[in-house]
Amino acid sequence: MKIKKPFIFVFKLYVKFYLYDVNTRMIVGISKDLYELLKNLDEVDYVKIPNNLENEVNKLLKYDIFSETNYDYEIKYHQSEYIEDILKNSMKTITLQVTQNCNLRCKYCVYSGSYENRVHSNKRMSFETAQKAIDFLHKHSSLSAAISVGFYGGEPLLEMELLKKCVDYAKKIFDGKDLSFTITTNATLLTEEVMDFFVVNNFYVTISFDGPQKIQDKNRVMADGKQGSFNVVMKNVEYFLKKYPDFTEHISFNAVLDPTNDFNCSNEFFMNYESLKKNNARGVLISTEGLKNDLKQDESFKIAYSYEMFKNFLWSCGKLDDVGSKLTIAYIEQVEQMVGKRTIGLEKNKKYSHPGGPCLIGVHKFFVNADGYFYPCERVDESIECTRIGNLDDGLDIEKIKMLLNIGKLTENECKKCWAFQFCTQCLRSAVDGDHLSKNKRLSKCNSSRYTAEQSLKDYIVLKECGSTFGKRIKGE
């Protein structure tokens, strides 16, 4: 018996063996003998199946596993064909960079000077620019019932008067819509007046806060570069939560995890500190994209992080009553989204497909900087032209947007032959190299993406086999 070389990925998980079939997106357990046969297929066109494996292979063939691969399709983002219509009528969100200035000088901030190109400046958004941006969203969101207007910096509370004008204006022109506001703040300027303003106007507040004093003050220092920010942030946060206990679900914390710190210390703080333990908190590792100097991870950090992740796995499977760490829970949601919710079934005669990664511009993210230029999101480097997708005077550059959404075309041949196609986590930022998009830069990230995909597959299997309810438990259902 012979079969054409299949488009698969085989892997070992402890003492068991599995196969991921790219064409059907099915994950199946296989025998050790079949695993050994299939694990090295680089140089063959056909696989000869020995007699003792024919029954196993025939069972898989009944489910279209090992189907012939069709590479005759176009790499194209699934909604790029309709993106002009989407952006004309169905935009949902906008994030305004109200200032590039900040009253802190966090050592890992993308504007700190530790990263290429991006630095703090005194540039601020005028109300005229903000008004035009909100008008732009209004004009392009006629079919959207829910609208979100976000404020970003620098530190947006440095421009509190501008925020007030923007909120008043948005409430007028979006009358009848489900309107909400978001803000990311360091909370050092969180006065009682600001708190009242947030509550009255349906804000969702993300507070950048890393943990206990020795961790917060290590990186999040005041503009003088010397004084820590913990005391003032803690005082403001505790007052906010005490004054408005029913607003707790609107307040979350984003902790930047420095791998040279004590993870247990940060985790204990957000899990058990009386004032904060009811609030959502997410941890994100310091971004190394564009970082000038290498960041070395402390082994004890890795061990502690992994242990709390293990406890989250147990909790997700009903083996523990309480979550191990709020700072790592997002990973289980990611596994569910990436692997658990994948579409299963053979796609015959598909005309186009695109690797995972890019967000839908204008629906998931849309960023307007202080000068009125448009970008896909707040995470891109707004100092370079290749990620700029328009401006308030000229509108959207639809062709540029299509090109960025279809970033997979840059590596089309490699993407089509990659087993981790559907699980790819690379957005357009992975291809940015200086002031242009680079095929080689994107390809340099592929091993990391494949590693993430493999770990997600393995973790999904472990969670599924141990009875995880995934997001249902996280959401309290």
Side-chain angles (χ1 to χ4, degrees):
M1 177 182 183
K2 278 186 178 182
I3 61 171
K4 193 167 184 178
K5 182 173 74 171
F7 194 9
I8 59 172
F9 174 67
V10 294
F11 56 99
K12 179 180 179 181
L13 180 58
Y14 306 115
V15 296
K16 294 184 178 181
F17 304 89
Y18 295 87
L19 175 153
Y20 169 69
D21 182 77
V22 178
N23 292 324
T24 62
R25 304 187 183 105
M26 292 182 68
I27 305 167
V28 293
I30 59 175
S31 67
K32 181 180 179 181
D33 288 341
L34 186 56
Y35 167 80
E36 293 293 343
L37 178 69
L38 298 175
K39 69 178 181 179
N40 294 307
L41 299 178
D42 290 343
E43 305 300 325
V44 302
D45 293 323
Y46 287 87
V47 184
K48 185 176 181 180
I49 307 298
N51 293 338
N52 66 313
L53 294 177
E54 283 191 9
N55 286 339
E56 183 177 4
V57 170
N58 280 325
K59 287 180 182 178
L60 296 175
L61 288 171
K62 288 180 180 179
Y63 293 97
D64 290 322
I65 293 173
F66 300 145
S67 296
E68 186 171 343
T69 303
N70 171 30
Y71 294 111
D72 188 23
Y73 65 90
E74 181 185 359
I75 291 286
K76 186 166 73 171
Y77 190 82
H78 61 290
Q79 288 173 302
S80 63
E81 187 174 346
Y82 314 105
I83 190 63
E84 188 167 6
D85 290 336
I86 292 171
L87 293 173
K88 184 177 181 180
N89 300 300
S90 302
M91 291 183 67
K92 301 177 184 294
T93 184
I94 196 169
T95 299
L96 306 178
Q97 185 190 55
V98 292
T99 180
Q100 292 183 0
N101 198 5
C102 187
N103 62 326
L104 296 187
R105 288 297 181 267
C106 301
K107 296 174 183 178
Y108 48 63
C109 176
V110 294
Y111 298 101
S112 66
S114 298
Y115 292 79
E116 302 289 347
N117 300 325
R118 304 173 87 173
V119 294
H120 284 293
S121 79
N122 292 321
K123 191 171 289 186
R124 58 183 296 273
M125 181 177 281
S126 66
F127 177 61
E128 180 184 10
T129 298
Q131 189 177 31
K132 279 185 177 181
I134 296 170
D135 283 339
F136 184 89
L137 178 61
H138 181 261
K139 181 181 178 181
H140 292 80
S141 60
S142 60
L143 298 180
S144 298
I147 300 295
S148 173
V149 178
F151 302 102
Y152 197 76
E155 171 49 50
L157 291 186
L158 288 170
E159 298 294 336
M160 191 59 203
E161 292 307 310
L162 175 60
L163 264 63
K164 290 178 181 178
K165 290 180 180 180
C166 289
V167 168
D168 287 344
Y169 186 68
K171 289 169 73 172
K172 288 177 184 177
I173 68 169
F174 287 112
D175 185 38
K177 301 269 190 178
D178 180 9
L179 177 64
S180 63
F181 299 94
T182 65
I183 190 169
T184 301
T185 175
N186 60 40
T188 57
L189 304 175
L190 198 59
T191 65
E192 188 169 5
E193 179 188 359
V194 173
M195 298 172 196
D196 296 342
F197 176 77
F198 285 163
V199 173
V200 169
N201 292 293
N202 194 30
F203 265 75
Y204 287 86
V205 184
T206 299
I207 296 175
S208 302
F209 193 28
D210 293 348
Q213 186 162 13
K214 68 177 182 179
I215 289 178
Q216 171 79 359
D217 288 351
K218 177 183 175 181
N219 287 316
R220 290 192 178 275
V221 295
M222 304 303 286
D224 61 9
K226 299 176 182 178
Q227 184 181 352
S229 58
F230 176 84
N231 288 333
V232 64
V233 173
M234 199 69 234
K235 178 183 176 182
N236 292 343
V237 166
E238 288 190 310
Y239 185 79
F240 195 3
L241 294 172
K242 182 178 180 180
K243 183 176 183 181
Y244 291 108
D246 295 335
F247 199 64
T248 298
E249 291 187 1
H250 283 246
I251 302 172
S252 61
F253 297 96
N254 185 66
V256 177
L257 303 177
D258 182 342
T260 65
N261 283 337
D262 183 348
F263 177 79
N264 282 329
C265 191
S266 295
N267 185 58
E268 178 72 16
F269 182 76
F270 286 107
M271 291 299 296
N272 297 315
Y273 196 87
E274 188 62 34
S275 302
L276 309 181
K277 63 183 183 181
K278 292 182 180 180
N279 293 82
N280 287 329
R282 296 296 171 96
V284 57
L285 292 170
I286 292 178
S287 174
T288 58
E289 188 69 35
L291 190 63
K292 294 177 181 177
N293 300 311
D294 291 338
L295 190 66
K296 295 182 179 180
Q297 187 178 90
D298 188 278
E299 188 65 22
S300 62
F301 178 94
K302 183 178 181 180
I303 293 170
Y305 186 93
S306 299
Y307 178 63
E308 294 303 329
M309 184 74 73
F310 170 68
K311 287 164 64 177
N312 282 349
F313 276 37
L314 293 176
W315 170 79
S316 176
C317 298
K319 310 299 182 183
L320 286 180
D321 292 334
D322 298 312
V323 63
S325 171
K326 291 185 286 188
L327 299 181
T328 65
I329 200 65
Y331 178 70
I332 294 178
E333 294 176 321
Q334 176 187 312
V335 169
E336 180 184 28
Q337 188 66 37
M338 180 186 291
V339 185
K341 293 185 177 180
R342 72 196 187 282
T343 54
I344 297 175
L346 185 64
E347 291 184 350
K348 296 181 179 179
N349 304 317
K350 65 181 177 183
K351 295 181 180 179
Y352 57 85
S353 189
H354 194 281
C359 294
L360 185 56
I361 294 168
V363 177
H364 300 142
K365 296 277 188 177
F366 183 66
F367 183 60
V368 182
N369 82 343
D371 293 319
Y373 287 103
F374 300 158
Y375 298 87
C377 76
E378 71 278 2
R379 299 181 68 189
V380 301
D381 184 350
E382 71 272 19
S383 69
I384 57 178
E385 194 278 333
C386 70
T387 58
R388 192 176 296 168
I389 58 173
N391 60 67
L392 287 170
D393 293 327
D394 302 321
L396 293 161
D397 186 337
I398 297 297
E399 293 308 310
K400 184 83 164 287
I401 290 171
K402 288 181 179 179
M403 184 269 290
L404 293 175
L405 283 175
N406 293 306
I407 194 67
K409 283 185 178 293
L410 201 62
T411 50
E412 183 164 7
N413 291 333
E414 292 83 358
C415 286
K416 285 183 177 181
K417 296 175 182 177
C418 178
W419 70 265
F421 184 94
Q422 186 184 21
F423 307 125
C424 184
T425 55
Q426 292 194 53
C427 71
L428 65 94
R429 293 191 310 132
S430 65
V432 174
D433 189 7
D435 61 353
H436 68 284
L437 300 176
S438 164
K439 174 180 178 177
N440 289 336
K441 184 69 178 292
R442 179 173 165 84
L443 289 176
S444 72
K445 310 289 184 181
C446 291
N447 284 338
S448 176
S449 290
R450 281 189 285 267
Y451 175 80
T452 299
E454 181 176 354
Q455 290 304 120
S456 296
L457 283 174
K458 291 178 177 180
D459 289 338
Y460 172 76
I461 291 169
V462 170
L463 288 165
K464 189 75 172 176
E465 291 186 348
C466 292
S468 173
T469 54
F470 291 100
K472 290 183 180 180
R473 245 202 131 184
I474 295 169
K475 296 167 188 173
E477 297 179 12

